[in-house]
Amino acid sequence: MTGIALVNERTGTVVWAAELTHRGDMIRQKLEKRRVVRRNRRKHKTRYRPARFNNRKRPNGWLAPSLQHRVETAMTWVKRLRKYCPITDISMELVRFDMQKLRNPEISGVSYQQGVLFGYELREYILTKWRHQCAYCGAKEVPLEIEHIHPKSKGGSDRVSNLAIACHKCNQKKGDKHVEQFLKKKPEVLKRLLAQAKAPLRDAAAVNSTRWALYNRLKETGLAIETGTGGLTKYNRTLQGLSKTHWLDAACVGKSTPMLKIATTQPLLITCKGRGGRQKAVVNKYGYPISHRPLKPIKGWQTGDITKHQVYGIGRITPRSRGSFVLTKSDKTQKSVKPTDLKPVSRRDGYSYKWV
Ligand SMILES: [Zn+2]
């Protein structure tokens, strides 16, 4: 999910916000399905064809289609918003944490003089290092606490290599016990934990190739672009006492974040829906065509068009070539309707919209 926020630079008012849900998974599944059908077709005994499996090259900076889609949809929304309002600057979160700032703590330790912001960068680093899961029980998606592997009370240091993250339960249970004592019955966990603690993250861990691709595309727009880290975003958000949502995070990206006034109460929830396939033949599991899809549009309608029905009201239409269309209401109930009873409200644009 990508958060988007429009902030008035002079007053710091968050005027509009959105949360964009991507469809990377769906793209992956569809390509996977196409691959299977294609493989199946090509392995059949047919006339000789020269081998053509090794004649393709990926260009520099190639991204998987499911990731490229994230870049493209984000760019679509930048373009659309520029049409409606005078945008001068873009702030984007480029990396999770600032690797430059964190160079030393792995070896030399963390001191309180480094400040609060540093603590946020550090936390992001440690969370990434331990893959956002409890180092002891592997719990995910629970509140995680930073914890000393060798307890401080027994001479453990503040170096990052001595810090791990743990769920509240494990942290309590461990208390100020030595790690060897705490994991006496789980030697394999102990071994993995000590190895992971010693291995510092490489620069690549902070960098996300998709975000870099987006950054390069945003530069092409000619707007002033500021980048921030995930640690800084979190710091700004906590400083202003805002709750953890994608759209509020978006408003908090970068050093230029002013004191925010939130003028909007909810983000527009945008979901990528795609624009349907172009495949003409429906194939069975052996890859043989069993039926053919009609030409779009059908009687002037396409899947995803929003329409108003005489009786059932507004909904999303799925046209069928046999005559009766399917109308999906906002509460997901479906009705069978006649195309002659429909009035157009808006044409599909590849996205669906709703409020919270
Ligand atoms: Zn745990």
Side-chain angles (χ1 to χ4, degrees):
M1 203 187 273
T2 304
I4 305 171
L6 286 178
V7 182
N8 183 323
E9 216 168 15
R10 215 162 296 152
T11 59
T13 313
V14 180
V15 200
W16 181 87
E19 286 182 356
L20 179 59
T21 309
H22 301 285
R23 54 189 283 272
D25 277 347
M26 207 194 285
I27 291 176
R28 215 197 65 243
Q29 281 167 19
K30 288 206 160 175
L31 289 177
E32 187 71 16
K33 204 171 145 198
R34 184 183 75 180
R35 195 183 71 88
V36 169
V37 167
R38 187 176 276 175
R39 273 273 55 85
N40 214 327
R41 186 167 70 231
R42 291 186 181 169
K43 79 169 192 220
H44 281 96
K45 175 131 180 80
T46 50
R47 68 184 165 81
Y48 173 76
R49 298 177 205 187
R52 292 215 176 91
F53 62 92
N54 208 7
N55 63 351
R56 289 162 183 85
K57 205 178 148 198
R58 280 172 181 171
N60 270 342
W62 178 90
L63 284 176
S66 56
L67 299 176
Q68 185 65 36
H69 138 86
R70 285 172 163 261
V71 177
E72 301 302 339
T73 42
M75 286 309 292
T76 300
W77 281 94
V78 169
K79 268 182 215 152
R80 283 188 184 184
L81 292 174
R82 281 186 80 186
K83 254 196 275 179
Y84 299 122
C85 40
I87 289 172
T88 54
D89 301 82
I90 298 177
S91 300
M92 79 165 279
E93 194 180 290
L94 187 59
V95 289
R96 287 167 182 278
F97 46 81
D98 191 338
M99 204 70 193
Q100 296 297 320
K101 260 190 212 147
L102 291 165
R103 189 114 300 168
N104 298 320
E106 279 280 1
I107 333 148
S108 61
V110 183
S111 81
Y112 288 100
Q113 287 164 3
Q114 281 158 313
V116 192
L117 173 60
F118 181 83
Y120 279 86
E121 297 280 351
L122 187 75
R123 201 181 140 83
E124 286 301 307
Y125 177 89
I126 296 173
L127 282 170
T128 310
K129 183 174 169 181
W130 294 93
R131 296 187 193 122
H132 290 260
Q133 51 183 342
C134 175
Y136 300 98
C137 69
K140 277 182 199 168
E141 276 151 48
V142 290
L144 295 163
E145 299 165 355
I146 290 186
E147 191 264 349
H148 288 78
I149 297 171
H150 288 288
K152 241 186 139 180
S153 60
K154 291 179 179 156
S157 77
D158 275 331
R159 280 180 213 164
V160 171
S161 54
N162 189 38
L163 298 176
I165 53 171
C167 64
H168 185 70
K169 225 165 123 191
C170 289
N171 200 359
Q172 289 293 309
K173 243 199 267 170
K174 181 167 177 279
D176 66 345
K177 273 187 223 138
H178 275 298
V179 65
E180 287 84 1
Q181 192 193 342
F182 179 61
L183 291 173
K184 206 159 52 186
K185 285 178 191 158
K186 297 177 191 163
E188 69 288 352
V189 176
L190 179 67
K191 206 176 139 199
R192 175 189 55 77
L193 187 135
L194 291 178
Q196 207 173 343
K198 257 191 234 147
L201 275 184
R202 271 176 289 132
D203 285 17
V207 181
N208 178 317
S209 55
T210 312
R211 289 191 195 180
W212 269 103
L214 178 61
Y215 173 69
N216 288 328
R217 289 289 299 278
L218 285 172
K219 266 203 311 207
E220 287 167 18
T221 61
L223 296 170
I225 297 165
E226 173 204 42
T227 60
T229 64
L232 179 60
T233 305
K234 215 173 198 175
Y235 171 74
N236 284 336
R237 177 164 47 75
T238 318
L239 198 72
Q240 309 211 10
L242 299 169
S243 53
K244 183 181 161 59
T245 57
H246 289 280
W247 66 282
L248 285 173
D249 264 349
C252 292
V253 171
K255 273 196 202 109
S256 67
T257 307
M259 240 1 242
L260 295 172
K261 276 181 246 136
I262 314 291
T264 175
T265 49
Q266 56 183 350
L268 177 64
L269 303 181
I270 307 170
T271 312
C272 298
K273 288 283 185 189
R275 288 160 194 271
R278 284 170 203 81
Q279 199 178 32
K280 291 255 70 83
V282 182
V283 293
N284 67 7
K285 63 176 176 177
Y286 305 107
Y288 288 102
I290 48 172
S291 67
H292 292 273
R293 293 212 174 93
L295 272 176
K296 288 192 275 192
I298 299 169
K299 291 180 182 149
W301 296 91
Q302 297 195 50
T303 301
D305 286 346
I306 303 298
T307 174
K308 191 173 181 189
H309 185 264
Q310 287 174 351
V311 182
Y312 303 130
I314 289 178
R316 188 175 184 267
I317 204 75
T318 313
R320 297 271 178 256
S321 58
R322 297 236 169 87
S324 77
F325 289 9
V326 181
L327 181 80
T328 312
K329 303 274 296 167
S330 57
D331 58 2
K332 302 241 166 99
T333 54
Q334 295 193 322
K335 303 272 191 249
S336 177
V337 295
K338 275 194 288 184
T340 44
D341 294 343
L342 301 173
K343 286 226 161 63
V345 173
S346 76
R347 291 298 180 195
R348 62 102 192 244
D349 63 350
Y351 300 91
S352 79
Y353 307 91
K354 71 175 189 195
W355 297 108
V356 180

